[in-house]
Amino acid sequence: QKEVEQDPGPLSVPEGAIVSLNCTYSNSAFQYFMWYRQYSRKGPELLMYTYSSGNKEDGRFTAQVDKSSKYISLFIRDSQPSDSATYLCAMTSDQTGANNLFFGTGTRLTVIP
Amino acid sequence: KAGVTQTPRYLIKTRGQQVTLSCSPISGHRSVSWYQQTPGQGLQFLFEYFSETQRNKGNFPGRFSGRQFSNSRSEMNVSTLELGDSALYLCASSPPGLASPLHFGNGTRLTVT
């Protein structure tokens, strides 16, 4: 079993829809949680970074962490065609080394105009 | 501020050869991490360097090695290349501070034939 599980999709939504992306994990020591966006032929771009449980909002993006359920989510409001990309969740802990990120396999999102 | 720069963007090598990849971190970032990205395994942590010292290492064979220079630039070397080493190799840097988020470059696409 992988430490981080993510539905690979693909996910296709109309422009303006609310998108929900999710990851589950098994290691209860994880305490830092990230969402990255990766366009084709590009490196991952950091979208959201949260510590421990709770919500964080940045523009159209909201990240949620539920440590009790070992479940994290990313919501995208008013989705745009430019949001079409692969979304990767990542997480780590002080125990494993904060730069040793454990990634999900990524969810490919297409927003249709 | 310039982002993480990786050179070259593309490489084609033959089995048994060795290869060196280069990474220049964001100015002021002293930590450099390397990741391998493949369709089957996703993103996997190779190693991290800080102040010219390897601070953490993933679960890869000794054929994968790296180093960091006094200006924080880093190189990664893979010896005795195998077909399975074909991947996108990503470098990431992070600013000083506990558990600072990683910022990735666009990677070097290595193809082993």
mmCIF file of all heavy atoms in Angstrom, chain B residues 22-32 49-53 67-75 93:
data_model
loop_
_atom_site.group_PDB
_atom_site.id
_atom_site.type_symbol
_atom_site.label_atom_id
_atom_site.label_comp_id
_atom_site.label_asym_id
_atom_site.label_seq_id
_atom_site.Cartn_x
_atom_site.Cartn_y
_atom_site.Cartn_z
ATOM 1 N N SER B 22 22.322 19.184 -13.817
ATOM 2 C CA SER B 22 22.686 20.367 -13.044
ATOM 3 C C SER B 22 21.458 21.135 -12.587
ATOM 4 O O SER B 22 20.429 21.156 -13.271
ATOM 5 C CB SER B 22 23.582 21.266 -13.898
ATOM 6 O OG SER B 22 23.965 22.413 -13.179
ATOM 7 N N CYS B 23 21.591 21.776 -11.430
ATOM 8 C CA CYS B 23 20.475 22.533 -10.845
ATOM 9 C C CYS B 23 21.005 23.796 -10.185
ATOM 10 O O CYS B 23 21.928 23.735 -9.355
ATOM 11 C CB CYS B 23 19.756 21.665 -9.832
ATOM 12 S SG CYS B 23 18.498 22.533 -8.852
ATOM 13 N N SER B 24 20.410 24.927 -10.524
ATOM 14 C CA SER B 24 20.705 26.185 -9.837
ATOM 15 C C SER B 24 19.473 26.595 -9.045
ATOM 16 O O SER B 24 18.411 26.821 -9.637
ATOM 17 C CB SER B 24 21.064 27.279 -10.840
ATOM 18 O OG SER B 24 22.276 26.985 -11.489
ATOM 19 N N PRO B 25 19.589 26.677 -7.725
ATOM 20 C CA PRO B 25 18.405 26.994 -6.906
ATOM 21 C C PRO B 25 18.042 28.464 -6.988
ATOM 22 O O PRO B 25 18.783 29.280 -7.538
ATOM 23 C CB PRO B 25 18.870 26.628 -5.490
ATOM 24 C CG PRO B 25 20.352 26.854 -5.520
ATOM 25 C CD PRO B 25 20.783 26.480 -6.909
ATOM 26 N N ILE B 26 16.890 28.787 -6.430
ATOM 27 C CA ILE B 26 16.478 30.180 -6.299
ATOM 28 C C ILE B 26 17.484 30.899 -5.403
ATOM 29 O O ILE B 26 17.954 30.321 -4.401
ATOM 30 C CB ILE B 26 15.057 30.262 -5.708
ATOM 31 C CG1 ILE B 26 14.054 29.683 -6.709
ATOM 32 C CG2 ILE B 26 14.676 31.693 -5.345
ATOM 33 C CD1 ILE B 26 12.646 29.513 -6.154
ATOM 34 N N SER B 27 17.808 32.132 -5.753
ATOM 35 C CA SER B 27 18.776 32.898 -4.978
ATOM 36 C C SER B 27 18.359 32.968 -3.503
ATOM 37 O O SER B 27 17.209 33.284 -3.176
ATOM 38 C CB SER B 27 18.872 34.313 -5.556
ATOM 39 O OG SER B 27 19.742 35.108 -4.789
ATOM 40 N N GLY B 28 19.297 32.648 -2.631
ATOM 41 C CA GLY B 28 19.006 32.672 -1.200
ATOM 42 C C GLY B 28 18.569 31.337 -0.641
ATOM 43 O O GLY B 28 18.532 31.148 0.583
ATOM 44 N N HIS B 29 18.211 30.397 -1.511
ATOM 45 C CA HIS B 29 17.832 29.060 -1.049
ATOM 46 C C HIS B 29 19.085 28.209 -0.900
ATOM 47 O O HIS B 29 19.893 28.105 -1.825
ATOM 48 C CB HIS B 29 16.882 28.390 -2.062
ATOM 49 C CG HIS B 29 15.527 28.992 -2.103
ATOM 50 N ND1 HIS B 29 14.458 28.380 -2.738
ATOM 51 C CD2 HIS B 29 15.047 30.148 -1.592
ATOM 52 C CE1 HIS B 29 13.379 29.138 -2.608
ATOM 53 N NE2 HIS B 29 13.716 30.222 -1.922
ATOM 54 N N ARG B 30 19.216 27.580 0.263
ATOM 55 C CA ARG B 30 20.414 26.790 0.515
ATOM 56 C C ARG B 30 20.161 25.284 0.465
ATOM 57 O O ARG B 30 21.090 24.510 0.440
ATOM 58 C CB ARG B 30 20.997 27.185 1.871
ATOM 59 C CG ARG B 30 21.534 28.616 1.894
ATOM 60 C CD ARG B 30 21.875 29.054 3.293
ATOM 61 N NE ARG B 30 22.894 28.194 3.894
ATOM 62 C CZ ARG B 30 23.184 28.202 5.193
ATOM 63 N NH1 ARG B 30 22.527 28.992 6.011
ATOM 64 N NH2 ARG B 30 24.126 27.420 5.662
ATOM 65 N N SER B 31 18.908 24.907 0.480
ATOM 66 C CA SER B 31 18.578 23.485 0.429
ATOM 67 C C SER B 31 18.144 23.110 -0.979
ATOM 68 O O SER B 31 17.327 23.792 -1.600
ATOM 69 C CB SER B 31 17.448 23.176 1.415
ATOM 70 O OG SER B 31 16.984 21.857 1.231
ATOM 71 N N VAL B 32 18.704 22.023 -1.486
ATOM 72 C CA VAL B 32 18.353 21.515 -2.811
ATOM 73 C C VAL B 32 17.992 20.045 -2.682
ATOM 74 O O VAL B 32 18.737 19.262 -2.083
ATOM 75 C CB VAL B 32 19.521 21.685 -3.807
ATOM 76 C CG1 VAL B 32 19.178 21.000 -5.132
ATOM 77 C CG2 VAL B 32 19.819 23.153 -4.040
ATOM 78 N N TYR B 49 20.386 18.115 -0.278
ATOM 79 C CA TYR B 49 21.653 18.692 0.120
ATOM 80 C C TYR B 49 21.424 20.048 0.764
ATOM 81 O O TYR B 49 20.548 20.829 0.347
ATOM 82 C CB TYR B 49 22.587 18.837 -1.081
ATOM 83 C CG TYR B 49 23.171 17.518 -1.510
ATOM 84 C CD1 TYR B 49 22.491 16.683 -2.384
ATOM 85 C CD2 TYR B 49 24.382 17.071 -0.994
ATOM 86 C CE1 TYR B 49 23.006 15.462 -2.746
ATOM 87 C CE2 TYR B 49 24.908 15.841 -1.361
ATOM 88 C CZ TYR B 49 24.206 15.041 -2.229
ATOM 89 O OH TYR B 49 24.713 13.826 -2.587
ATOM 90 N N PHE B 50 22.224 20.296 1.795
ATOM 91 C CA PHE B 50 22.177 21.580 2.509
ATOM 92 C C PHE B 50 23.584 21.910 2.940
ATOM 93 O O PHE B 50 24.264 21.084 3.563
ATOM 94 C CB PHE B 50 21.243 21.486 3.718
ATOM 95 C CG PHE B 50 21.154 22.753 4.515
ATOM 96 C CD1 PHE B 50 20.316 23.782 4.107
ATOM 97 C CD2 PHE B 50 21.901 22.913 5.672
ATOM 98 C CE1 PHE B 50 20.234 24.957 4.837
ATOM 99 C CE2 PHE B 50 21.822 24.084 6.401
ATOM 100 C CZ PHE B 50 20.991 25.102 5.983
ATOM 101 N N SER B 51 24.019 23.099 2.597
ATOM 102 C CA SER B 51 25.377 23.528 2.942
ATOM 103 C C SER B 51 26.413 22.478 2.547
ATOM 104 O O SER B 51 27.277 22.094 3.353
ATOM 105 C CB SER B 51 25.483 23.831 4.447
ATOM 106 O OG SER B 51 24.741 24.975 4.769
ATOM 107 N N GLU B 52 26.304 21.998 1.323
ATOM 108 C CA GLU B 52 27.264 21.081 0.698
ATOM 109 C C GLU B 52 27.274 19.683 1.319
ATOM 110 O O GLU B 52 28.167 18.881 1.022
ATOM 111 C CB GLU B 52 28.686 21.677 0.733
ATOM 112 C CG GLU B 52 28.783 23.041 0.048
ATOM 113 C CD GLU B 52 30.180 23.639 0.131
ATOM 114 O OE1 GLU B 52 31.114 23.041 -0.429
ATOM 115 O OE2 GLU B 52 30.329 24.704 0.777
ATOM 116 N N THR B 53 26.299 19.394 2.165
ATOM 117 C CA THR B 53 26.238 18.090 2.843
ATOM 118 C C THR B 53 24.915 17.402 2.514
ATOM 119 O O THR B 53 23.862 18.057 2.498
ATOM 120 C CB THR B 53 26.356 18.267 4.372
ATOM 121 O OG1 THR B 53 27.590 18.922 4.664
ATOM 122 C CG2 THR B 53 26.319 16.919 5.082
ATOM 123 N N ARG B 67 25.868 16.107 -5.396
ATOM 124 C CA ARG B 67 26.743 16.969 -4.617
ATOM 125 C C ARG B 67 26.215 18.396 -4.707
ATOM 126 O O ARG B 67 25.418 18.731 -5.600
ATOM 127 C CB ARG B 67 28.185 16.894 -5.106
ATOM 128 C CG ARG B 67 28.426 17.299 -6.543
ATOM 129 C CD ARG B 67 29.909 17.247 -6.862
ATOM 130 N NE ARG B 67 30.187 17.566 -8.260
ATOM 131 C CZ ARG B 67 31.412 17.805 -8.734
ATOM 132 N NH1 ARG B 67 32.442 17.759 -7.926
ATOM 133 N NH2 ARG B 67 31.600 18.075 -10.012
ATOM 134 N N GLN B 68 26.679 19.198 -3.765
ATOM 135 C CA GLN B 68 26.288 20.602 -3.750
ATOM 136 C C GLN B 68 27.544 21.446 -3.589
ATOM 137 O O GLN B 68 28.454 21.089 -2.833
ATOM 138 C CB GLN B 68 25.309 20.889 -2.610
ATOM 139 C CG GLN B 68 24.726 22.298 -2.641
ATOM 140 C CD GLN B 68 23.757 22.563 -1.516
ATOM 141 O OE1 GLN B 68 23.911 22.027 -0.415
ATOM 142 N NE2 GLN B 68 22.756 23.400 -1.768
ATOM 143 N N PHE B 69 27.552 22.556 -4.276
ATOM 144 C CA PHE B 69 28.704 23.445 -4.253
ATOM 145 C C PHE B 69 28.472 24.589 -3.273
ATOM 146 O O PHE B 69 27.359 24.788 -2.775
ATOM 147 C CB PHE B 69 28.974 23.968 -5.659
ATOM 148 C CG PHE B 69 29.206 22.866 -6.664
ATOM 149 C CD1 PHE B 69 28.167 22.389 -7.446
ATOM 150 C CD2 PHE B 69 30.458 22.278 -6.802
ATOM 151 C CE1 PHE B 69 28.364 21.370 -8.352
ATOM 152 C CE2 PHE B 69 30.659 21.251 -7.715
ATOM 153 C CZ PHE B 69 29.616 20.794 -8.483
ATOM 154 N N SER B 70 29.525 25.357 -3.028
ATOM 155 C CA SER B 70 29.446 26.423 -2.027
ATOM 156 C C SER B 70 28.439 27.505 -2.414
ATOM 157 O O SER B 70 27.937 28.229 -1.547
ATOM 158 C CB SER B 70 30.819 27.044 -1.791
ATOM 159 O OG SER B 70 31.333 27.549 -3.007
ATOM 160 N N ASN B 71 28.112 27.626 -3.699
ATOM 161 C CA ASN B 71 27.118 28.622 -4.128
ATOM 162 C C ASN B 71 25.706 28.025 -4.161
ATOM 163 O O ASN B 71 24.792 28.624 -4.714
ATOM 164 C CB ASN B 71 27.483 29.182 -5.506
ATOM 165 C CG ASN B 71 27.516 28.108 -6.583
ATOM 166 O OD1 ASN B 71 27.294 26.921 -6.296
ATOM 167 N ND2 ASN B 71 27.800 28.493 -7.800
ATOM 168 N N SER B 72 25.535 26.861 -3.565
ATOM 169 C CA SER B 72 24.269 26.126 -3.442
ATOM 170 C C SER B 72 23.852 25.407 -4.721
ATOM 171 O O SER B 72 22.898 24.626 -4.679
ATOM 172 C CB SER B 72 23.111 27.015 -2.950
ATOM 173 O OG SER B 72 23.356 27.452 -1.644
ATOM 174 N N ARG B 73 24.522 25.626 -5.824
ATOM 175 C CA ARG B 73 24.224 24.868 -7.029
ATOM 176 C C ARG B 73 24.475 23.390 -6.765
ATOM 177 O O ARG B 73 25.337 23.030 -5.957
ATOM 178 C CB ARG B 73 25.082 25.362 -8.185
ATOM 179 C CG ARG B 73 24.659 24.857 -9.554
ATOM 180 C CD ARG B 73 25.540 25.479 -10.651
ATOM 181 N NE ARG B 73 26.921 25.012 -10.593
ATOM 182 C CZ ARG B 73 27.347 23.885 -11.138
ATOM 183 N NH1 ARG B 73 26.503 23.090 -11.765
ATOM 184 N NH2 ARG B 73 28.623 23.548 -11.043
ATOM 185 N N SER B 74 23.707 22.543 -7.440
ATOM 186 C CA SER B 74 23.818 21.117 -7.175
ATOM 187 C C SER B 74 23.908 20.340 -8.483
ATOM 188 O O SER B 74 23.418 20.785 -9.534
ATOM 189 C CB SER B 74 22.615 20.635 -6.360
ATOM 190 O OG SER B 74 22.648 19.236 -6.135
ATOM 191 N N GLU B 75 24.544 19.203 -8.423
ATOM 192 C CA GLU B 75 24.585 18.272 -9.540
ATOM 193 C C GLU B 75 24.146 16.898 -9.059
ATOM 194 O O GLU B 75 24.357 16.522 -7.899
ATOM 195 C CB GLU B 75 26.005 18.165 -10.121
ATOM 196 C CG GLU B 75 26.451 19.374 -10.884
ATOM 197 C CD GLU B 75 27.852 19.205 -11.471
ATOM 198 O OE1 GLU B 75 28.559 18.258 -11.086
ATOM 199 O OE2 GLU B 75 28.212 20.032 -12.320
ATOM 200 N N SER B 93 14.268 23.645 -4.641
ATOM 201 C CA SER B 93 14.990 24.352 -3.587
ATOM 202 C C SER B 93 14.000 24.923 -2.578
ATOM 203 O O SER B 93 12.812 25.090 -2.879
ATOM 204 C CB SER B 93 15.866 25.465 -4.173
ATOM 205 O OG SER B 93 15.086 26.535 -4.674
#
